[in-house]
Amino acid sequence: MNILAIESSCDETAAAVLSRTESGFAVRASVVASQIETHRLYGGVVPEIASRAHIEAVSAVTYEAMERASASLSDIDLVAVTAQPGLIGALLVGVNFAKSLAAANHIPLVAVDHIKGHIAAAYLGAEVPKPPFLAMALSGGHTAFYLVESYTDYRVVGTTRDDAIGESFDKIGRLIGIPYPAGAGFDRLAAEGFLAATGKENAPLSLYRKSAAYKDKTMALPSPALSDGSLDFSFSGLKTAAINLLHRFEQSGTTLDRPLFAARYTYEAVEAVAKKTEEALSRHAVTSLVMAGGVAANSHLRKRIAEVAKKAGVQLFIPSLSLCGDNAAMIGAQGYYEYLAGHTAASSLNASAEDSIV
Ligand code: KG4
Ligand code: ZN
């Protein structure tokens, strides 16, 4: 089966062509047109500008994916499109484009949830997790744990009560001069900080915890892991404390050690995810764990969650770096399972900004 997938939920217009055979998925082409440079001028995504940029890009990006895959529309058996959640204007561009393409060429259409899509990026590797498994979606808009009961049935078992982890990296990153989106720059700055604190390249976080830098009270930050017995987080508490810390440094005229600050912030964010992952794995009898979404690209988090998975004896699946951020290949993978489950979309399909997994 050949699948054409389209993604336009935020600031990336993406199209991909996948083939599904008995041996799994083969991504024949995956094209991502990023609007980041445009939004960077404003320090974040401007929804109206995003919608317009998707309109301008969607045809060319789809055409390029088809061309790179040497596919024609007559080869396509299924069109998959992200229908929720995301920016409504942005989603509508992809949904209407996919609907027209599918209708005009008599191809079945499936609507895909963006978060299920992120997790489905883990189905594109050589080995694939089999339900039931535990999955984490860590992105600019989401921070949640799901019990994946089948490839299409998800249950939320933990979530953030306010900000998402990626959003918090972006906001605090901006305050310390890292351009939008700050995640990757934050990751690199934190690596400098961990090195300065431990004197070791790639030191485990347990070593950082023993360092003098970690004991420096002027840099103290709270954990975003809620201590109420739930698997939930509050990233706004961490963010507010970090903003206050930055103000204190500014007001006292003390120069902030940016790498050490980035390391401390990253430590608290990563340890919180690690702690809740351990807890989630102790509550749910699974043998596989998936970590997906843009923040799953974080090098410190990848290393720490690998330790957690090893200790718990579960197999860890993290998509390759290029599949952690928004792309359409992941939407095609989830689209395949939605199609198998009989979830074909009608011509009345609409986009929705809201989460569907609740
Ligand atoms: O999944 P994604 O591409 O888009 C959403 O669905 O939100 O995630 C984007 C988020 C941004 O907040 C970005 O700063 C963050 O992922 N991100 C990272 C890293 N790379 C991207 N956060 C931490 N460390 C990274 N290496
Ligand atoms: Zn995303």
Side-chain angles (χ1 to χ4, degrees), residues 46-193:
V46 183
E48 292 300 320
I49 295 178
S51 311
R52 221 169 306 150
H54 284 304
I55 293 173
E56 284 166 13
V58 71
S59 302
V61 164
T62 306
Y63 186 81
E64 191 176 333
M66 293 290 286
E67 202 173 58
R68 279 198 212 169
S70 306
S72 71
L73 282 169
S74 58
D75 302 327
I76 300 296
D77 306 298
L78 181 67
V79 176
V81 64
T82 307
Q84 65 190 105
L87 301 170
I88 188 66
L91 286 163
L92 278 168
V93 176
V95 165
N96 284 315
F97 182 80
K99 259 165 65 166
S100 320
L101 197 77
N105 295 282
H106 310 287
I107 306 169
L109 174 71
V110 285
V112 173
D113 179 283
H114 182 76
I115 298 305
K116 286 183 178 170
H118 268 302
I119 291 159
Y123 313 154
L124 297 169
E127 265 194 287
V128 175
K130 300 221 167 34
F133 61 84
L134 193 75
M136 273 187 265
L138 306 173
S139 72
H142 288 79
T143 308
F145 287 109
Y146 305 96
L147 188 63
V148 180
E149 289 164 330
S150 79
Y151 288 119
T152 51
D153 296 308
Y154 281 49
R155 189 151 60 84
V156 182
V157 293
T159 187
T160 177
R161 303 236 177 116
D162 38 61
D163 294 356
I165 184 169
E167 182 185 1
S168 101
F169 276 126
D170 290 342
K171 283 190 180 150
I172 299 302
R174 190 179 172 191
L175 293 178
I176 56 168
I178 305 172
Y180 173 83
F186 215 113
D187 191 338
R188 286 191 294 272
L189 197 61
E192 278 180 45

Side-chain angles (χ1 to χ4, degrees), residues 7 9 114-115 118 139 294 324-326 330:
E7 151 69 39
S9 66
H114 182 76
I115 298 305
H118 268 302
S139 72
C324 282
D326 289 348
M330 67 187 197

